Amino acid sequence: MGKSLCLSLCFLVLFHGCICIAQQQQERQQNKCRISRLSAQEPSNRIQSEAGVTEIYDHNNQQLQCAGVAVVRYIIKPRGLLLPSYLNAPQLMYFIQGRGLQGIMISGCPETFQSFQESQQGVQQVGEQEEQQGGHQFSGDQHQKIREVQEGDVFVVSTGVGHFIYNNGNNRLILVSVIDISNDANQLDFQPRRFYLAGSPQNEFQQQRSEDAQQQEQGQEQEQEGSQGGPQESSGSNVFIGFNAERLAEAFNVDAQLIRKLQGQNDSRGNIVRVEGGLQAVFPQRGQEEQGSEQQEDRLHAHGNGFEEIICSLRLKQNIGEPRRADVYTPLGGRIGGITSFDLPILKGIVKLSARRAFLYKGAMLLPHYDMNAHSIIYAIRGSAKFQIVQNQGRTVFNDVVTAGRVIVVPQNFALMMKAGDSGFEFVAIKTDENGMINTLAGDLSLIRAMPVKAIASAYQISEEQAKELKFNRMEASIAPGRFRSESA
Amino acid sequence: MGKSLCLSLCFLVLFHGCICIAQQQQERQQNKCRISRLSAQEPSNRIQSEAGVTEIYDHNNQQLQCAGVAVVRYIIKPRGLLLPSYLNAPQLMYFIQGRGLQGIMISGCPETFQSFQESQQGVQQVGEQEEQQGGHQFSGDQHQKIREVQEGDVFVVSTGVGHFIYNNGNNRLILVSVIDISNDANQLDFQPRRFYLAGSPQNEFQQQRSEDAQQQEQGQEQEQEGSQGGPQESSGSNVFIGFNAERLAEAFNVDAQLIRKLQGQNDSRGNIVRVEGGLQAVFPQRGQEEQGSEQQEDRLHAHGNGFEEIICSLRLKQNIGEPRRADVYTPLGGRIGGITSFDLPILKGIVKLSARRAFLYKGAMLLPHYDMNAHSIIYAIRGSAKFQIVQNQGRTVFNDVVTAGRVIVVPQNFALMMKAGDSGFEFVAIKTDENGMINTLAGDLSLIRAMPVKAIASAYQISEEQAKELKFNRMEASIAPGRFRSESA
Amino acid sequence: MGKSLCLSLCFLVLFHGCICIAQQQQERQQNKCRISRLSAQEPSNRIQSEAGVTEIYDHNNQQLQCAGVAVVRYIIKPRGLLLPSYLNAPQLMYFIQGRGLQGIMISGCPETFQSFQESQQGVQQVGEQEEQQGGHQFSGDQHQKIREVQEGDVFVVSTGVGHFIYNNGNNRLILVSVIDISNDANQLDFQPRRFYLAGSPQNEFQQQRSEDAQQQEQGQEQEQEGSQGGPQESSGSNVFIGFNAERLAEAFNVDAQLIRKLQGQNDSRGNIVRVEGGLQAVFPQRGQEEQGSEQQEDRLHAHGNGFEEIICSLRLKQNIGEPRRADVYTPLGGRIGGITSFDLPILKGIVKLSARRAFLYKGAMLLPHYDMNAHSIIYAIRGSAKFQIVQNQGRTVFNDVVTAGRVIVVPQNFALMMKAGDSGFEFVAIKTDENGMINTLAGDLSLIRAMPVKAIASAYQISEEQAKELKFNRMEASIAPGRFRSESA
């Protein structure tokens, strides 16, 4: 429009010069969701560390940008420690395999875990009371609560909260993390930014910037004044490296030698490091307290003001893989469970994500449906399924098989249908709303069922008898069994 | 793209000079509100269907983009049905004329409307109990609640909720719908997207895209793989067309012939279709239940989880045209009524819009005022008025007569004054906040009244006597009568 | 990229003239926080008025754009009045020096301040009752509540609310105002826009637009139709100038002569004007009511609907400078106090800002920390400090001394450490969240303290003994005293 105007304008004044203002006012990028084709992504980058691997799905990909998220998968070897860090956005982790320990660090939350409680506490009370008052030194240890996590757990970490993960099992610990960079809680730009607190790891998201952006940033970098000790050559490091070492020594009240270690200088282990001897002794055994009184544990009151209490005592974990937690179950089809802000209050207003976990048996079909209020980031866990995804004008934007390990985004309101392959299909879907809701287009709870038969007949130009077939022939709610046709058909 | 054009253009005029300003991607588009001139818009596009007309106000217009909304007007003939669809954003409809039925479809909400209750229910209980358990088939019908609507009603539909409208009156049903595409609930891009569930209607918003955007999308489309049955030639269709017909037949458990109808193939009726014989028998009569116990009806509990209950039982409708609902009334001037989240809880946090409905008598003046916290999308219903709208630096951005059928946006905080013409003026103003608030600049509740006389005198360099004139001479609150001057003047 | 193309293009047509403006502003501007270097800003613009000075910090500066705020400092002489106005965004003011009166004007809030209460009220009741009913005229005055403010006060004004400030003290009244233009409550574009209600002051933010934007706007302005009485030549004026004078005279029911004064024609006093004789007599004395029953006063119920009550009775003020309000206190180091939505409910959901006020003694150190959920806009009040600020990859983005009167933004999650100079350091930090939270990286409440000793040892490749030093050697929570090393070191 602007152009044609501009063109004619130019022709008019052709022999006398031309003023052409081509205002091109681009697309609106609330989120970039002009999607005409989706794809099931594999990780685009892989970072090998001492005790594990970090696999990154390209967050500059159109569909992840549409959803406003970044996706990372961590594979942590036994006794591997994902170094402590914090992020500029909330994340929802799903633990695919193994078991581990998740440490959460928030200033002012109470140090309720006191190690060697029985053997050492006595010593403390008797022999070290003075020391404790003088310098908080005692031969035991105390720290903030550490949570056990295992396969099937959803774990949520909010913006700016320090956290680390340790594999205390005997097998690899595998988790996928969805980082909601378009969340209100992220007030920085639209990039995932991880602030490491230890080591000197390569930044997993840096790789992914467009070349332009990197050039631009490097350009600005050259103008930079007063940067001291910053790693111009290497792309990664922890935040302490940016501070003056002497100042840090004063701040921590330790000698400069130790600060060099704090700053992670000459550390080439990457972001997942091996813990010699293991950390297991420090933590409570699952059987003892984690299982029986989990809820109660989580509500332990902190000292400090009311707000710290709220933050410190929020529950962060929920298992959504167990069969007994299924919300939908079709005997020959499969089951679906999930988690919303009603289950895990931290999702409400703070993290604003929810998740569903589905198990489809061989040949079972997830009936056509759409997400009413959220994008759905689907991570394929096991097996495979044929997906069909349709946009508002009826165009098929995806029509392919999705296999284990792939990530695909189903944009809000786009219609999705899938049919599990011969080995079934399992996936977890993270929704970009604290209460992801689904409308189904076929089956017992579908929109078709909600309409009067006469309206259906008129809308589709069919007889009322046919309208009733559309409305009532599929009895199941979300999953249609694969092998047996419904008896009423 | 803009650049290449600009380039060739410049070569054309090479020997005559060229000024080429390629402004690509302007600054800041929180909302595009660099408005230096407003206009009262008419529909830019008109789509004729079998039983009605859809009129679209160009949502790429600067002022609608500033407000972040799209506006559509529907004119539905008697026995016309606006096909079921859902949208990527919440909408607030105002019914200008006629009466109709509004169907709302949400998965899992209860099917509380059971037709032929007396005659058929007995039959069901006796003869069809087995069938009902077997295949949910019985000769009657049951569906989700359908609401009666009429002139003066505000009706709200939230994001992703299926809905249809049927004209069960004897006159044309006319409604204007404001779609809040900048609402948080829309996680897609900044385009209104309607997903039709039936028919093969032309997409009312597609027309409006810039040519660039269409070219781009078509370009992407050509790369598209695996699209089957998609309507490459036609711009419109319902979402079912994008799915494989066999799969759909399996999902619905019906034969493929019926699926073709579901997909709307060869349907040329448009988005408003005629219902032969009418739908009227299926619905309760207004006198019976809608009026007396409306509130109670709306609170009918659904089965399912708590959230479904909340969603299913929310009230969606409120009449704001009736004189008794006026909030402001000046005997010789007119009256204003409205609706906020205090009146209709679904507006709170979910739809985030509110509305005011004003009736100004001949020559009456709406005193200078501004919207504190919202844009105001004004739809002129009857008559005409002279508007003056002023921006922050005192520039007049609009100074013209607005006539019935036109839409004008008054941006947040811009000051507005209007004077009704000889036949009076009626309008509805949709506000982009769940609780649109107004500050008046003259009259009984004005900001001038809020200031001490001495501050007024100093601010305007006038005597205290004059300050009192400014403060007290206009007694009315919002509307000044046109014909008679206030006695105290 | 766009520019180089444009450049070559220009050379091509070099002999024929070419103006090529290629504005290519980048993708994603949730907030522009690609910051590689920060700076401590001084005001970029200074507007002298009759009774004071307005100093503006360039809000197009990268770091203020990152934080999404504009910052202005007002210096008001005794008996100076900052003219009434309203803004398109909420603002948080901090009063640095002096005392004054803050008037707040909202349509429909009650006029609870009635002047000359004792001497006039009797007269009113007897002699002017009829007049009062006839035309609301009586020889006294009544207006909405006016608040006293003084050094150390935070005062909050929400979007679109009219307000004025008067200096009723004997010294200059100095305040700094942070305007949160990226707040949801601002639905216009990303520019601060002040709507003056009196005078003809130069727009303090207009100056700052890029020349392009101004040209563009002026271009559009020329096309403008029907603008009457608009000040094409001058950049500033109040909103009344944009209305037709006759219409305004009808609206206010006064003569046209007075309207010219209302429109601020020929007013060259600027935005801060002198009040001859002073306003002091109109207001209650602090001793009487403001101090004792402040809270109660604030809760005075308004007439009108419930929402007006809420808005009218919200408390807007809180002193955060007093020592007894400190949240953190280290005897030899200093103290920090603050305000969040828990202290001042209007911050919750409406204004969405919070603030901290810190006093650091000579040589004291604010331990390394970061804002979890907000940007921090720091205004240096007295003294100086050496700042170090570090981004996510460990790069130092600021390493310099910040002196009184400067403003610096610390982006969300960026790590900050500072050490006060020889005369100590005082600052106020406004946070872009209603509940700004901080995580410290060293000291008693730090994230290091939250970790198990074994995890620290592994993360930093140090012995457990060293890990304990890092963890326990600094006892203080946020501030380390400057002169004395901790005894336990």
Side-chain angles (χ1 to χ4, degrees), chain B residues 349-418:
Chain B
I350 302 178
V351 170
K352 294 182 186 164
L353 296 169
S354 50
R356 297 187 105 203
R357 174 78 168 89
F359 300 75
L360 298 181
Y361 304 153
K362 175 183 176 180
M365 180 183 275
L366 200 57
L367 295 172
H369 66 277
Y370 63 93
D371 284 277
M372 285 174 71
N373 56 351
H375 301 299
S376 183
I377 297 99
I378 292 181
Y379 176 82
I381 298 175
R382 279 180 201 92
S384 68
K386 179 77 181 290
F387 278 53
Q388 291 196 327
I389 303 174
V390 180
Q391 49 88 280
N392 55 314
Q393 289 171 292
R395 292 206 198 101
T396 314
V397 293
F398 186 80
N399 184 20
D400 209 343
V401 172
V402 175
T403 54
R406 301 246 180 174
V407 166
I408 186 165
V409 169
V410 185
Q412 184 187 19
N413 287 3
F414 281 36
L416 165 67
M417 177 163 70
M418 70 173 79

Side-chain angles (χ1 to χ4, degrees), chain A residues 3 26 393 396 432 453 460, chain B residues 29 141 187 197 212 224 237:
Chain A
K3 258 176 296 175
Q26 86 298 14
Q393 290 171 290
T396 314
T432 59
V453 164
Y460 297 113
Chain B
Q29 30 202 354
D141 189 15
Q187 298 192 4
L197 293 172
D212 288 349
Q224 197 176 340
S237 49

Side-chain angles (χ1 to χ4, degrees), chain B residues 7 14 24-25 370 388 393 396 399 412-413 419 432 437 439-440 445 451 453 458-460 471 474 489, chain C residues 9 13 16 23 25 65 86 105 107 141-142 160 185 187 197 224 228 237 242 244 250-251 253 269 307:
Chain B
L7 198 70
L14 191 63
Q24 210 190 359
Q25 308 210 333
Y370 63 93
Q388 291 196 327
Q393 289 171 292
T396 314
N399 184 20
Q412 184 187 19
N413 287 3
K419 190 174 170 64
T432 58
M437 290 198 298
N439 268 351
T440 51
L445 303 175
M451 290 174 69
V453 165
S458 298
Y460 297 113
K471 195 168 167 174
R474 171 57 64 197
Chain C
L9 184 72
V13 294
H16 307 282
Q23 250 185 325
Q25 296 190 346
Q65 288 212 333
Y86 59 93
M105 304 173 290
S107 275
D141 189 13
Q142 60 178 29
Q187 298 192 4
L197 293 172
Q224 197 174 341
Q228 45 178 325
S237 49
N244 178 289
E250 187 184 344
N253 200 9
R269 298 171 299 167
F307 193 64

Side-chain angles (χ1 to χ4, degrees), chain A residues 7-23:
Chain A
L7 202 66
S8 55
L9 184 73
C10 277
F11 280 123
L12 274 174
V13 292
L14 191 63
F15 300 101
H16 306 281
C18 168
I19 299 175
C20 175
I21 302 177
Q23 245 184 328

Side-chain angles (χ1 to χ4, degrees), chain C residues 74-88:
Chain C
Y74 297 99
I75 300 165
I76 304 174
K77 291 181 192 167
R79 300 198 174 176
L81 173 73
L82 178 59
L83 288 176
S85 67
Y86 59 93
L87 274 165
N88 65 335

